[in-house]
Amino acid sequence: MILEVLSSTVMGGVLVSTYLYQHGGGGNDAKKIERIAANAGLIAKDGKAIRIYRRTKKEGYTEYAFQMPQGMSSKQFSEKLDRFQDGLNIKKTVLDISLADLKELRINKDILDQVKRLLEKKRKLRKEVEIHFDGMLIFKVFKDPLTDSFPYDDSLIKRVNGWQIPVGLERSGTLVKHDFEQVPHMALGGATRYGKSNFLNSLIVSLLKKQPDNVTFTLIDLKGGVEFADYENVRQVKDIAYEPEEAVVALENAYNDMRAMQAKLRGVKKKKVQDAGIKERHFIIIDEVGELNPGEAVSKGEREIKERCQKYMSQIARLGAGLGFRQILATQYGTGDVIPRQCKQNSDAKLCFRVRNGTASRVVLDEEGAEKLPLIKGRAIYQTDKRHVVQTPYIDEDMIASTIGPHINIRPRKEPNLNAEASEQGTTGGKHSLVIKDA
């Protein structure tokens, strides 16, 4: 009897709290958005402000559609996203408890513990906001934050087809994919240690898993080989380079292969590899493309090498799409000249992790936003014709090793000849030298 009374009291208290919230005690997100906009100065010159038009409950979030006064743009609101997000998360004395939350409670001896856990969960709740424009100003208010843990596993690759790769999870739980047949080139950016190189590794592994017999790689790792060294003996890797002097050779080889494919298609009177039924695709991936910026060269010779590299990159960007060549350029630098203009213009897919400021965001995305991403590894903005905030998959060393293991093909390394004249004469210091080789 006492338990029943206590349970009824607790449930009644929770119901009263919910009633107060829904009738003004906890506030209304639509009205809060209008109030935040007004306080942030987002009002037209004629004094008109946004007005709520529609509110729609969806799985995991609520969508608010506002009528926007003429003369204003959605960009003005997106630039103040942090104000809306902070304003909607001001702590309330009355918590946001829904009927769905109440249905999860069970009337039994631990009802008090259940209620305590529910209240604690609601206190820690932090809503996240996305702003879009589709003829109306759209606010998506998510009741749960986007996950910060998205491990790469074998089940993930089953969710993509053809030349698709997994990009990341949206807040709604939707897997965002990138299709290199639809959008051949990609630009990546982000400050160090936020997930850029990890994403490149997941991209390579995805292609090796999905298209092991059709993919070819040219890998250029200008961070001294710390990211791509594991792939050095993978049979699908045609060239791998760690310095600009090696990069220019690798890029020239890729360019010559592209021209050979062009001649092949011309011979069969086809315009694209898809029309000719050619399945092979060649991916040129450059991690830290900023190291190939001629403006940072310290000598004339170095400048010439970097200019040649950028020339090949630009030509691959312009001509490679229909010839089966895909180029992915990654950088952490925030200057406008770090990605060659032709490459950037032809990279319709962009992925940007957190950067230091709006200038760095514009280098990759052509607009601000990435500087406002939370300090979470793997959090990024993926942009084609639409913008998606995603958590990219984290791939560990074991997954990389197990994937490349079956494709390892040990190749002899070309060691530098430090005594060329002695080698040509077959002598060292006028005497025959003894050479011992392992059998």
Side-chain angles (χ1 to χ4, degrees):
M1 181 68 179
I2 295 177
L3 178 61
E4 291 178 0
V5 172
L6 182 60
S7 300
S8 299
T9 302
V10 171
M11 291 299 293
V14 173
L15 286 169
V16 169
S17 297
T18 304
Y19 178 87
L20 287 173
Y21 172 77
Q22 293 177 343
H23 292 79
N28 178 286
D29 280 349
K31 291 187 179 298
K32 285 185 179 180
I33 291 171
E34 292 176 347
R35 193 157 55 246
I36 294 167
N39 290 338
L42 295 169
I43 300 175
K45 290 183 178 180
D46 60 4
K48 291 185 178 180
I50 57 172
R51 291 187 296 115
I52 186 67
Y53 175 78
R54 179 183 69 246
R55 179 174 60 185
T56 308
K57 284 274 189 182
K58 299 192 176 183
E59 186 176 356
Y61 68 95
T62 303
E63 182 179 282
Y64 300 91
F66 292 89
Q67 293 178 329
M68 192 166 57
Q70 290 184 338
M72 300 194 73
S73 72
S74 60
K75 184 178 180 181
Q76 291 174 278
F77 290 83
S78 297
E79 288 175 346
K80 297 185 178 180
L81 174 63
D82 53 339
R83 298 199 185 189
F84 290 101
Q85 194 149 280
D86 291 345
L88 292 176
N89 281 291
I90 293 175
K91 298 300 181 182
K92 305 181 288 287
T93 55
V94 180
L95 300 176
D96 183 3
I97 299 173
S98 67
L99 290 176
D101 296 322
L102 297 179
K103 289 179 180 178
E104 293 181 1
L105 297 176
R106 295 290 177 263
I107 307 298
N108 55 37
K109 62 182 180 180
D110 70 339
I111 182 65
L112 285 177
D113 291 333
Q114 294 181 52
V115 172
K116 287 178 182 178
R117 288 194 293 269
L118 174 60
L119 295 177
E120 184 63 23
K121 176 183 176 182
K122 292 299 179 179
R123 288 191 187 97
K124 293 180 179 179
L125 180 67
R126 179 170 175 81
K127 298 176 181 178
E128 294 188 357
V129 182
E130 289 183 5
I131 300 175
H132 306 277
F133 182 77
D134 64 357
M136 302 198 80
L137 185 63
I138 304 297
F139 280 75
K140 290 183 178 180
V141 180
F142 295 83
K143 65 179 184 180
D144 294 315
L146 174 58
T147 180
D148 59 1
S149 176
F150 181 32
Y152 187 106
D153 56 30
D154 287 326
S155 65
L156 190 59
I157 205 65
K158 296 177 182 178
R159 300 168 66 181
V160 294
N161 299 301
W163 291 97
Q164 293 178 340
I165 63 162
V167 173
L169 280 181
E170 286 188 294
R171 288 186 176 90
S172 62
T174 302
L175 178 64
V176 177
K177 310 168 188 177
H178 176 79
D179 191 344
F180 280 105
E181 289 295 272
Q182 300 298 321
V183 184
H185 307 310
M186 178 184 286
L188 273 75
T192 183
R193 300 185 67 82
Y194 275 103
K196 174 169 48 65
S197 296
N198 177 80
F199 178 78
L200 291 177
N201 278 293
S202 72
L203 182 154
I204 295 170
V205 167
S206 296
L207 294 173
L208 284 173
K209 283 179 172 292
K210 207 69 183 177
Q211 298 284 350
D213 298 323
N214 299 319
V215 67
T216 297
F217 293 104
T218 292
L219 302 179
I220 299 174
D221 180 358
L222 295 168
K223 292 193 281 188
V226 296
E227 296 299 337
F228 293 162
D230 290 342
Y231 307 103
E232 191 168 294
N233 292 310
V234 173
R235 65 178 174 84
Q236 291 89 345
V237 176
K238 181 172 182 181
D239 280 303
I240 190 163
Y242 304 135
E243 300 294 339
E245 294 81 4
E246 300 170 336
V248 72
V249 175
L251 286 168
E252 183 177 16
N253 290 340
Y255 171 77
N256 289 337
D257 288 346
M258 184 184 72
R259 285 298 192 183
M261 178 61 72
Q262 191 177 49
K264 183 177 181 179
L265 290 176
R266 190 164 55 243
V268 295
K269 294 182 169 44
K270 300 292 183 181
K271 295 182 178 180
K272 300 182 296 183
V273 289
Q274 293 89 344
D275 298 338
I278 297 173
K279 297 180 179 180
E280 292 77 14
R281 302 291 182 268
H282 192 143
F283 285 76
I284 298 95
I285 304 177
I286 305 177
D287 192 8
E288 206 37 76
V289 68
E291 294 296 324
L292 298 179
N293 182 3
E296 296 185 359
V298 296
S299 67
K300 181 179 179 181
E302 182 184 354
R303 183 179 183 87
E304 290 175 352
I305 287 174
K306 293 183 176 182
E307 286 176 344
R308 285 177 61 198
C309 287
Q310 291 206 346
K311 176 183 177 182
Y312 290 131
M313 288 155 51
S314 297
Q315 290 173 327
I316 291 169
R318 290 198 308 270
L319 305 175
L323 303 174
F325 286 72
R326 282 77 179 97
Q327 189 165 245
I328 298 100
L329 306 179
T331 182
Q332 66 178 345
Y333 291 132
T335 57
D337 56 353
V338 71
I339 301 177
R341 184 175 58 183
Q342 289 289 336
C343 296
K344 186 175 178 180
Q345 288 177 347
N346 285 281
S347 297
D348 290 331
K350 299 175 175 67
L351 182 71
C352 193
F353 297 84
R354 182 180 170 85
V355 291
R356 189 173 62 179
N357 52 44
T359 300
S361 179
R362 288 193 294 271
V363 168
V364 180
L365 299 176
D366 290 324
E367 56 186 72
E368 297 182 0
E371 79 282 2
K372 296 179 181 179
L373 289 170
L375 298 172
I376 297 174
K377 292 183 179 181
R379 189 63 53 86
I381 294 173
Y382 170 71
Q383 187 170 289
T384 50
D385 56 332
K386 295 181 179 179
R387 172 181 281 208
H388 305 267
V389 177
V390 298
Q391 183 68 26
T392 57
Y394 172 75
I395 188 166
D396 59 32
E397 294 295 331
D398 290 340
M399 175 61 73
I400 296 173
S402 65
T403 300
I404 67 178
H407 305 294
I408 293 293
N409 178 23
I410 302 298
R411 291 171 284 188
R413 294 190 56 165
K414 295 181 180 179
E415 299 293 344
N417 190 346
L418 301 178
N419 197 357
E421 291 187 12
S423 298
E424 290 176 4
Q425 297 173 3
T427 63
T428 303
K431 297 181 180 180
H432 293 287
S433 54
L434 176 64
V435 178
I436 300 176
K437 295 183 180 179
D438 289 335

